[in-house]
Amino acid sequence: MPQDHMTKKTTTSDILWLGAHKTGTTYLQSLLPHARAALARAGLLHVGLAAFRSLYTDPVLNGGVGTPTPLPRDDAKAPRYLIFDENIPALVHDVLSRHALYPDGAERALQLARRAGIRPSRIVLGIRSFDSYLPSLYCEVLKSMPFLPFADFNRIPLTALSWSNLIERLAAAFPLAQICVYRAEDLKGREADLLAWVTGLASQDFPAAPGPVREGFSQGAIDALHELHRQGPVSRQDVVRCLEAHPRTPGSAAFRPWEDARQRDLKLAYALDLEEIGALEKSTQDRVTLWRPKGAAS
């Protein structure tokens, strides 16, 4: 796959992949262990998610507890690290605020980089259309947090929904790094191409693997949970029972909280945001770069 301007950037430092949540990160992460040898030949060392999260991400999210211990480097042949953890900019239930997506994302990423001794030349961020992103994020929150109605979860104003704002904050926090952005809508079936674009390897270095089973929530399950909430507190067991009673199947409707007009507004907000990202590409002379794979919708 042609790498075009990506090959013009420095290849002497690390890659920091920040997510976002619900942009194909779980499957992308599952492909990396199968490419460990190819990554090593390119001088890239991928640190396993569980170990990195416990040693670095969790302490940062908990206020910097513990003694920082930078990742080891051999002066004779210093490895370049590939770090991939969507929890770095925020835990899933902290993604939304009244003011922004990932309000502390750039600061968290900078704290993490300092703590781990990471020197990123590339920051990677996935983005997704708001009309599908917010419901998917809500369902992810319900898997691990006490139940709350969607209206209470989704309090972010339309004007605060902006990936370009987060990208600008990341670019300011990491002035020597390229911000590499991909759209989740462009990803399906092109995961190996994206990994090649980010790492400089070939697409064939990332063989396909069985993806994790991650079923979404059906409209019936969400309706049942909201009805239970109107009657009283909803327990974790209630959530499990509702999911079992109303599974997401090919014949069931997916959770869709929006009326048609709101759906159009959210899609328009995303389209305008993509225009802002395009403007950032031009104004930063490609230091912000949006992945545009062949065959993807414009």
Side-chain angles (χ1 to χ4, degrees):
M1 175 181 175
Q3 301 299 309
D4 53 78
H5 56 264
M6 291 288 287
T7 58
K8 300 176 185 177
K9 302 295 179 181
T10 178
T11 58
T12 58
S13 54
D14 309 312
I15 298 172
L16 182 57
W17 200 315
L18 299 176
H21 296 92
K22 312 309 297 177
T23 60
T25 55
T26 300
Y27 182 62
L28 289 164
Q29 287 161 345
S30 75
L31 298 180
L32 291 174
H34 303 285
R36 198 175 299 276
L39 290 167
R41 288 194 297 271
L44 274 169
L45 178 61
H46 172 236
V47 182
L49 178 61
F52 186 85
R53 188 168 282 179
S54 64
L55 290 172
Y56 296 101
T57 306
D58 292 348
V60 166
L61 294 173
N62 291 326
V65 298
T67 302
T69 304
L71 289 165
R73 296 191 190 263
D74 184 339
D75 290 339
K77 189 178 180 182
R80 294 190 296 132
Y81 285 104
L82 169 56
I83 306 301
F84 191 165
D85 184 359
E86 65 271 34
N87 279 358
I88 291 171
L91 294 173
V92 66
H93 55 271
D94 292 326
V95 170
L96 303 185
S97 78
R98 294 289 296 172
H99 309 291
L101 292 172
Y102 293 96
D104 301 318
E107 180 182 352
R108 298 287 196 194
L110 190 56
Q111 290 174 355
L112 185 286
R114 289 171 175 167
R115 185 180 186 92
I118 297 169
R119 302 186 293 270
S121 60
R122 294 176 189 168
I123 307 288
V124 186
L125 182 72
I127 64 175
R128 181 173 172 180
S129 183
F130 304 123
D131 64 300
S132 65
Y133 177 70
L134 294 173
S136 185
L137 190 71
Y138 173 66
C139 293
E140 194 70 19
V141 168
L142 291 187
K143 296 176 183 178
S144 58
M145 299 297 294
F147 178 83
L148 75 166
F150 182 75
D152 292 340
F153 163 81
N154 182 42
R155 292 187 176 276
I156 184 169
L158 187 65
T159 53
L161 286 171
S162 173
W163 294 113
S164 58
N165 175 273
L166 173 58
I167 292 165
E168 285 187 279
R169 285 182 275 130
L170 288 169
F174 295 91
L176 300 181
Q178 184 180 29
I179 313 300
C180 305
V181 184
Y182 70 92
R183 303 192 316 166
E185 296 84 2
D186 295 335
L187 186 59
K188 189 171 179 61
R190 301 186 181 95
E191 292 87 354
D193 292 341
L194 173 63
L195 289 165
W197 183 71
V198 168
T199 63
L201 275 68
S203 299
Q204 54 265 34
D205 289 323
F206 301 95
V213 177
R214 298 176 67 86
E215 296 178 352
F217 286 19
S218 69
Q219 185 67 53
I222 297 297
D223 290 345
L225 286 168
H226 279 74
E227 179 58 35
L228 283 176
H229 177 73
R230 283 189 282 270
Q231 300 171 18
V234 177
S235 68
R236 290 292 307 141
Q237 291 75 18
D238 290 330
V239 174
V240 172
R241 283 194 290 267
C242 285
L243 293 179
E244 291 175 346
H246 306 276
R248 179 75 176 96
T249 65
S252 64
F255 171 50
R256 184 179 185 271
W258 318 116
E259 299 292 338
D260 289 345
R262 185 64 171 177
Q263 187 99 352
R264 288 193 295 271
D265 288 345
L266 289 163
K267 288 184 176 182
L268 176 59
Y270 183 54
L272 294 174
D273 205 25
L274 287 172
E275 290 185 8
E276 289 291 329
I277 294 170
L280 279 174
E281 285 186 282
K282 294 178 181 178
S283 65
T284 62
Q285 298 181 323
D286 288 339
R287 195 165 75 82
V288 171
T289 307
L290 179 65
W291 184 49
R292 294 179 175 85
K294 291 181 180 178
S298 58

